[in-house]
Amino acid sequence: NRSIDYVNPFILFPGSVDFSQNLHALKWFCKQVLPFVALNKIKIYVTGSVSEPNRKLFCDYDVIQFTGEIDNNSLTKLYESCLCVIAPITTGTGLKIKILEATQQGVPVVTTKFASKGIQSNICMYGQNDSPESFASILNEYISKIMNR
């Protein structure tokens, strides 16, 4: 039951950046993908724990907003109102739970081909390869479509 917040639009990155794969993913996204993304006034909310040293790694990116650890009810509200979830994961093994959780709740996910392995969903979007340009292209296309509804 989604009610997207178009007044204060945001993209959701669910997961602690104190977890190495998430930290690597967010750093890759900010350094390699973000320069190609037309966010305008769209923020990126990052849920989960974040140590002060890890928080400082992102202080130059004013679009990144850390929520800290939140309860399931608050996370559900974020899923319901976000534009989409991003999962720019390029390392690690196994199924990516954040993608499954989002798609099960009907939330579109822009991810890497690597992270989507084993997940079949028509709302899970990824490019032909895992290049920053490919990820940015898919995200820009989705943002344009959803914001110009």
Side-chain angles (χ1 to χ4, degrees):
N1 194 6
R2 292 186 23 86
S3 179
I4 296 171
D5 184 347
Y6 290 103
V7 176
N8 298 300
F10 67 95
I11 292 169
L12 186 61
F13 181 105
S16 166
V17 292
D18 290 337
F19 180 62
S20 63
Q21 280 85 359
N22 289 340
L23 177 61
H24 182 271
L26 192 59
K27 284 173 29 180
W28 178 80
F29 179 81
C30 288
K31 291 179 181 175
Q32 304 293 320
V33 179
L34 205 49
F36 300 106
V37 178
L39 286 177
N40 298 322
K41 296 182 180 190
I42 299 170
K43 299 290 184 188
I44 299 171
Y45 291 178
V46 180
T47 65
S49 63
V50 56
S51 65
E52 198 53 37
N54 284 342
R55 182 186 299 271
K56 287 180 181 176
L57 294 173
F58 301 97
C59 65
D60 292 336
Y61 303 97
D62 58 347
V63 298
I64 303 293
Q65 296 190 346
F66 293 102
T67 67
E69 291 187 44
I70 57 176
D71 61 33
N72 282 340
N73 193 37
S74 298
L75 181 59
T76 297
K77 288 179 182 173
L78 290 176
Y79 276 131
E80 290 171 353
S81 57
C82 69
L83 297 174
C84 67
V85 163
I86 56 168
I89 299 167
T90 59
T91 61
T93 60
L95 281 175
K96 309 306 177 239
I97 301 301
K98 65 175 86 294
I99 298 173
L100 291 175
E101 285 178 347
T103 57
Q104 285 176 341
Q105 295 190 48
V107 180
V109 178
V110 177
T111 187
T112 58
K113 197 172 190 175
F114 172 83
S116 68
K117 189 178 252 180
I119 298 172
Q120 298 292 324
S121 173
N122 61 353
I123 58 172
C124 183
M125 301 163 273
Y126 53 88
Q128 295 295 332
N129 58 55
D130 288 341
S131 70
E133 296 84 1
S134 180
F135 194 98
S137 175
I138 298 295
L139 185 55
N140 282 327
E141 187 177 308
Y142 177 76
I143 289 170
S144 177
K145 184 176 92 178
I146 195 83
M147 293 303 287
N148 297 313
R149 68 204 187 303

